[in-house]
Amino acid sequence: MPDIEKDKVIAVLNQILESELAGVVRYTHHSFLVFGFGRIPIVSWLRQQADESLLHAHQAGEWITTLGEYPSLGIGALLDSHTTDITTILRESLTAEDVALGLYRDLLALVKDRSVALEEYARQMIAVEEMHAGEVDKMLRKPGTVGTSGERGAAH
Ligand SMILES: [Fe+2]
């Protein structure tokens, strides 16, 4: 089994760490901006996502120190669209989660057949993030439709 290219792996892990930390801030911020009848379950869902992003940040940071390197103190990009519209909030989340998913895919490409543990970690995170994106997509669909939110018009 060839060795991992540590510098490249660390660079991606640091980007993952920063992007997950941005997720903690983004979900927490959005959780303050939910008003109306659906407030209670949506606030609680957003705060669960913040907790999950923090857990993912911990996992990435632990991998960085496991590999003997120094974790970044930076944070990923944060956009403030000043919206209280749930659809916009969810779409922004989906875009940000897509970025994170891309980073986990980059990690998988770097560690595949080189480190069983890192490969397991990357695959597990890809599965978790894909299921998360699927869940958000369902929340973005109009009740009564089945097609994914990207396939509007394919509704039955
Ligand atoms: Fe995550």
Side-chain angles (χ1 to χ4, degrees):
M1 197 179 264
D3 285 343
I4 55 166
E5 291 175 89
K6 199 163 104 172
D7 289 356
K8 289 186 186 170
V9 170
I10 293 296
V12 174
L13 282 169
N14 266 321
Q15 280 179 280
I16 290 171
L17 171 58
E18 292 180 4
S19 134
E20 296 288 7
L21 286 174
V24 176
V25 175
R26 194 183 57 252
Y27 283 119
T28 303
H29 175 74
H30 284 152
S31 77
F32 303 135
L33 298 171
V34 179
F35 307 111
F37 296 130
R39 175 176 158 79
I40 289 171
I42 295 173
V43 166
S44 117
W45 183 83
L46 288 166
R47 293 196 178 148
Q48 272 171 31
Q49 303 317 304
D51 290 347
E52 200 173 304
S53 285
L54 184 58
L55 176 69
H56 295 173
H58 290 168
Q59 288 171 307
E62 290 295 343
W63 263 115
I64 293 165
T65 51
T66 294
L67 295 170
E69 296 295 328
Y70 193 78
S72 163
L73 196 56
I75 189 162
L78 284 166
L79 296 173
D80 188 355
S81 54
H82 287 269
T83 185
T84 59
D85 173 58
I86 308 296
T87 301
T88 310
I89 288 174
L90 290 177
R91 285 202 185 287
E92 272 185 24
S93 303
L94 206 49
T95 305
E97 295 286 355
D98 268 354
V99 172
L101 187 55
L103 291 170
Y104 285 113
R105 289 206 174 107
D106 292 347
L107 179 67
L108 179 61
L110 286 171
V111 299
K112 192 174 181 303
D113 298 325
R114 290 167 185 254
S115 159
V116 171
L118 274 167
E119 189 176 335
E120 282 291 310
Y121 163 65
R123 285 187 190 281
Q124 196 189 332
M125 295 312 297
I126 289 167
V128 166
E129 301 288 3
E130 279 187 3
M131 285 189 291
H132 174 83
E135 195 60 43
V136 176
D137 186 87
K138 287 183 188 179
M139 291 165 83
L140 282 166
R141 293 182 207 173
K142 287 200 165 46
T145 62
V146 174
T148 63
S149 64
E151 306 171 342
R152 285 277 157 75
H156 301 287

